[in-house]
Amino acid sequence: PVTHPPARPQTLVTKPQAVCLRFASMAASVTLPMREPCYVAVGVMTVPHYRNRRDAARQTWMTGSNVGSTVVVRFLIRAGGLHPDVLAEAKREQDEHGDMTFLPVASEHGSPPQRGRVLTLHAWTRRATAVCPTARWVSKADDDVYIVTVDWEAQLRMIAAGREGRAMLHGKVVWHN
């Protein structure tokens, strides 16, 4: 099957729930090499040393039949201020899997933990349109979730039915420390 091109590593540009923003319209004129247009762009917040969580997602819920076509998943890494060795290892993982997006958000050293998460979410909502220009929903998830992607996409399609042209927020944003 044809899938979305992997994110490029050089481009620096809760719990079991996911947050989705539905956009009224996004660059629908962009043609992507896939069977069906992307409907949901999922940004999974993670940190470089949680490779085991990313690998678990890749081996479980990311094997859903719609992942890589109507559901596009990217692991979000705050790349600002990362040690060069940590960034190099993350880029090797990106070269291997092609499912990571490096965001120009600094790590949380010396600042409230929520700051980095909020800035990461903001950066993802801006970057998601480049990753998946046809997305009708942009979502955020944590790296310890399990998403039944086919059922979730069906739920989002039901919510959006009859509401074309209107932006929506589905889910909730909760930070636990």
Side-chain angles (χ1 to χ4, degrees):
V2 180
T3 60
H4 290 279
R8 297 288 168 226
Q10 65 272 20
T11 304
L12 287 176
V13 174
T14 186
K15 299 307 175 207
Q17 57 264 53
V19 174
C20 302
L21 299 172
R22 184 178 171 279
F23 288 86
S25 66
M26 289 186 185
S29 62
V30 176
T31 303
L32 295 177
M34 60 187 150
R35 292 175 295 156
E36 298 178 65
C38 170
Y39 189 72
V40 184
V42 184
V44 180
M45 290 191 185
T46 188
V47 293
H49 66 275
Y50 282 171
R51 168 92 189 237
N52 61 328
R53 291 183 180 188
R54 293 187 297 277
D55 286 341
R58 289 177 183 121
Q59 294 166 10
T60 58
W61 66 267
M62 286 178 63
T63 62
S65 62
N66 58 348
V67 174
S69 60
T70 56
V71 175
V72 174
V73 180
R74 292 291 184 265
F75 291 104
L76 309 177
I77 301 288
R78 290 188 294 252
L82 280 181
H83 188 278
D85 293 342
V86 174
L87 185 57
E89 180 61 31
K91 286 182 177 183
R92 282 191 290 278
E93 182 182 350
Q94 162 59 17
D95 290 342
E96 180 182 349
H97 296 284
D99 58 6
M100 298 170 73
T101 295
F102 297 87
L103 300 170
V105 176
S107 60
E108 299 174 347
H109 301 295
S111 63
Q114 297 86 348
R115 180 182 179 277
R117 295 176 191 147
V118 169
L119 292 175
T120 301
L121 177 59
H122 178 260
W124 169 241
T125 58
R126 296 176 57 90
R127 180 76 178 117
T129 58
V131 170
C132 190
T134 62
R136 304 302 291 164
W137 293 88
V138 173
S139 66
K140 169 263 180 206
D142 290 337
D143 59 5
D144 59 352
V145 301
Y146 185 98
I147 302 171
V148 181
T149 59
V150 173
D151 292 349
W152 184 52
E153 180 184 348
Q155 179 187 45
L156 293 175
R157 288 183 185 275
M158 284 179 18
I159 291 168
R163 294 177 178 89
E164 289 304 317
R166 293 185 359 202
M168 289 181 267
L169 173 66
H170 172 63
K172 60 184 178 179
V173 178
V174 179
W175 305 116
H176 297 282
N177 290 323

